Structures are given as structure tokens and as C-alpha cells.
Amino acid sequence: MTTQLTDYLQAYGWNEQWSNKSDACSEKLGKAAPARVIAQYSHAYKVMSSSGERLANVSGRFEFQAAGKGDFPAVGDWVMADMLDESPPRAVIQAVLPRQSSMARKVAGSIPDEQIIGANMDFLFITLAMNGDFNVRKLERYLIAAWESGATPVVLLTKSDLCEDPERYIAEVEDIAPGVHVHMVSALENQGKDALLSYLKPGRTVAVTGSSGVGKSTLLNWLAEDEWQSTSGIRESDARGRHTTTHRELFLLPSGALMMDTPGMRELQLWDSEEGWQQAFSDIEDLAGRCRFRDCKHEGEAGCAVQAAIHSGELDGGRYSNYKKTERELARLARKENSTLRQRDKKQAASKNSRSRGHKRRSMEDWGE
């Protein structure tokens, strides 16, 4: 790209790698220029361009060609857009540059489709409060999605000031999160911030995810040393939080890092996550490799290393149950997705044949004339 980019894009993570991707794309899009999606609303986006912030929409052609929701821009995406000379300044998004990472989940409902939670993150902070809502089975689901995303997962145990035995919580998380760094933080008591500074380098993007009320917005305000997001407490009856973040947004921290705040999720429905599932349960996968038989179902076969580990206490039975549960969930999703794709292919083929017959009929009529 020949245009000299301003500090706006560089501050939001622009580098040589993204420049190369945009060069490959710009040949097809003419005057389209790069921008980063920094906020996502119901029917619009906010992007950071070389000239500053702009509201943006996707073009009609983009919307027509998108195969599903996962093809649309998400917060963190780098896009190519036409910059309109209007007041206030607007942009029309023509293309999304290939993502380096993306966290996805299945949309609500029976139709299998993908929703992108955030894109192009370097680290994914999975927040879990050390209170009555603490649940390692729920954390395992987040770890599946995190490993699948391509970003590096990091677990943050929040609200340590409300916990009488934080070491127990840390041990439980470390047992089910092999290879993942775990940090205990408290914004109220200003504890644990130093441990996070190594992730918050200039140009890096960190997304924060987790259930409602675990302290994601509080964490952002604490690291920003300012009140950027509103916060609320939790219900005393069940330790559940209320939604305070209503949309996804990317913030530039004083350190130069970018932090993505996301609305809390009551439930994380998994999307295509085979590799993430294997990584999240790598300890069980390693045990399965030691079974006497390659096709061992771990249901009582002789020489089953998995069942032996459960009986000895090396492997928690609840973790193994969740391993099997999420395996079945992903298998059902794959079957639904394949069925949807087959139906879509049939409709496209039928439409193509119909157009072909119509063209042939018109040609014959023209010949007859």
C-alpha cells in the first residue's frame, strides 16, 4: 500500500503482515482502504480508519455474497472499506481481511450458524469469579472455544477479595487447564495487575470473555485506570451477574494494548471445535493413547487407561463426563451442519438448473422467431 498510514491504524495494531494482506485484496477493490472494526452494534459498526473513527455498514454486494453470519465483520476484524466524504464520516465495508484468530460460538436456536465473538486476538482472558457461580465445567467449555480460536487462553480468577480460600480455586482450575496460565486478580484491592502487564504490550489485542457479573467491565476500567464501562453488582441469592456491557467494543489502553470487552454469556454453545476440544482435554487424550486397544470406548474394556485413571483418582469423573458430553455435542453439530450444507447445495443446484432451462427455452423461442 502506497498511502502513508497515520498513527491511528498503527495504534490499533496495523503492521506489515496486515499491510501484505490488504495489498493482495486492494487490487480487486480499487480505492478501498483498511480500517479496524472497534465496535459492533445491531445493524452497524464503528471502524478506526487512517482518518479516525467512522460509522460503517457492509455493502449490498458483501451482504449478498455472505454465506452465513460468521462471514460478516466482527470486532477486531481488519476490513477494506470505501471512505465516504460525508458528515459525519461514514464507510462502506467491502471485504474482511483473512483472520489470524477468531472466537466463535453457535448462534441460539436450532439452525446451525456461527457467531464470531471477536477476531484477531493475541490473548483471550477467560474470567471466572471466585464466588457461588464458580464452575470448572463451564470453564472447560470456554477453554474449548479459546483453543479453537487460535488465540492463547489465559484464565483470570476475579473477585479474590470475596474468597476465603483462593488457593483451592486456583488448584481446581490448574487441574483442568493444562498448559494455561492462571492468575488471581482483584480490582477492588488492586491485586494481580503486575502479572497481566506482560500480556498488555503495544499493538497486542486481548479479548475478555466470561459469564455476566464476573467482572469483565470492572477489569477493563481497572486496567484503563478510568471509568470506560458501566458496572453493576451481582444478585446475592445466586451470585449471578447482570448484563452491563450491551455490545462488543475494542478499547486502546494506556499501555498501548487493545482490550476487547464483550457482553456476558449465560451459555456458550460450541461451534466447530474439534481441535480446541482435543487441546482442552489433552490430558484425557494422552490417557486414551495408552489404552490397550486403539478403538477403546473407555466403558469398561480391559486395559483402559482412562477408566484406570478415574478409579485411581488421577482423573476426575466429572471432567471425563464433560469430555464425553462435549464430544457428543460437537458430533451432533457436525451432523446438523452437514445436513444444512447438503440442503443448501440442492437449492443452489435446483436454482441453477431452473435458470439454465429458462435460458434454453428463451433461446429456442428466439430461434423460432
Side-chain angles (χ1 to χ4, degrees):
M1 181 168 297
T2 58
T3 303
Q4 181 64 42
L5 298 172
T6 68
D7 291 340
Y8 286 120
L9 292 189
Q10 293 172 355
Y12 276 80
W14 186 261
N15 55 34
E16 184 177 357
Q17 185 177 28
W18 289 113
S19 181
N20 292 336
K21 290 184 178 182
S22 71
D23 285 344
C25 189
S26 60
E27 295 178 1
K28 303 177 183 178
L29 297 176
K31 296 181 180 180
R36 192 168 196 189
V37 179
I38 61 174
Q40 182 179 357
Y41 310 103
S42 56
H43 299 292
Y45 304 90
K46 185 193 296 182
V47 299
M48 179 61 70
S49 69
S50 60
S51 57
E53 292 183 3
R54 291 171 177 259
L55 285 178
N57 299 92
V58 297
S59 68
R61 181 178 181 181
F62 185 106
E63 190 167 5
F64 177 77
Q65 294 180 339
K69 292 185 177 181
D71 291 339
F72 281 81
V75 173
D77 267 326
W78 284 100
V79 299
M80 300 298 290
D82 293 333
M83 305 299 167
L84 305 184
D85 188 17
E86 297 181 359
S87 182
R90 291 183 56 251
V92 178
I93 297 172
Q94 301 292 348
V96 175
L97 295 182
R99 294 164 177 148
Q100 289 182 301
S101 63
S102 63
M103 181 182 177
R105 68 171 177 176
K106 178 186 171 296
V107 298
S110 59
I111 299 176
D113 204 352
E114 177 186 26
Q115 179 187 24
I116 304 297
I117 304 301
N120 300 316
M121 310 89 60
D122 297 291
F123 296 99
L124 188 60
F125 284 178
I126 306 172
T127 51
L128 190 65
M130 293 188 287
N131 57 16
D133 197 34
F134 181 85
N135 187 328
V136 292
R137 302 286 84 89
K138 184 188 299 184
L139 176 59
E140 285 169 341
R141 297 180 69 85
Y142 276 95
L143 286 168
I144 292 172
W147 282 121
E148 186 70 23
S149 75
T152 301
V154 179
V155 176
L156 301 188
L157 295 177
T158 63
K159 303 189 178 183
S160 60
D161 52 285
L162 302 178
C163 181
E164 295 182 356
D165 186 12
E167 296 302 325
R168 177 177 68 84
Y169 289 97
I170 294 174
E172 285 190 42
V173 171
E174 289 179 340
D175 283 344
I176 62 97
V180 178
H181 289 142
V182 182
H183 302 287
M184 181 176 65
V185 297
S186 171
L188 182 63
E189 297 185 353
N190 197 33
Q191 293 181 352
K193 183 182 288 188
D194 289 345
L196 305 184
L197 296 181
S198 62
Y199 306 104
L200 304 177
K201 302 294 185 182
R204 285 183 179 174
T205 299
V206 178
V208 184
T209 189
S211 301
S212 301
V214 297
K216 298 186 300 298
S217 296
T218 299
L219 177 70
L220 171 65
N221 293 340
W222 180 44
L223 295 174
E225 300 178 357
D226 202 348
E227 293 296 319
W228 285 355
Q229 292 284 68
S230 61
T231 60
S232 65
I234 58 174
R235 293 195 299 260
E236 295 297 334
S237 59
D238 59 5
R240 295 292 181 89
R242 297 185 293 271
H243 292 286
T244 53
T245 300
T246 57
H247 64 276
R248 298 170 185 85
E249 189 163 358
L250 192 63
F251 296 90
L252 180 61
L253 296 178
S255 67
L258 298 146
M259 180 162 283
M260 188 185 304
D261 194 15
T262 63
M265 291 184 279
R266 294 291 187 204
E267 180 184 7
L268 175 63
Q269 295 193 57
L270 298 175
W271 186 242
D272 293 339
S273 306
E274 181 66 25
E275 292 184 8
W277 176 77
Q278 293 177 345
Q279 184 68 41
F281 292 106
S282 59
D283 54 335
I284 300 180
E285 289 285 283
D286 288 343
L287 286 170
R290 303 177 203 165
C291 292
R292 181 181 300 175
F293 304 107
R294 288 186 176 181
D295 60 348
C296 182
K297 302 298 182 182
H298 321 306
E299 297 174 354
E301 295 92 336
C304 176
V306 173
Q307 288 297 325
I310 293 174
H311 292 319
S312 69
E314 178 186 351
L315 174 63
D316 178 64
R319 176 164 171 77
Y320 177 69
S321 295
N322 205 30
Y323 167 83
K324 298 298 290 185
K325 177 184 177 181
T326 49
E327 180 184 36
R328 292 191 297 269
E329 181 179 342
L330 291 172
R332 286 195 301 270
L333 175 64
R335 289 194 296 270
K336 285 185 178 181
E337 189 180 1
N338 289 335
S339 176
T340 301
L341 289 174
R342 286 195 298 271
Q343 292 175 6
R344 185 182 300 167
D345 290 342
K346 287 181 179 179
K347 288 182 179 179
Q348 290 176 345
S351 177
K352 183 178 180 180
N353 290 336
S354 177
R355 291 195 302 269
S356 177
R357 288 194 298 270
H359 176 72
K360 182 177 181 181
R361 184 168 56 251
R362 288 191 299 271
S363 298
M364 294 178 66
E365 291 172 352
D366 293 342
W367 178 262
E369 292 178 355

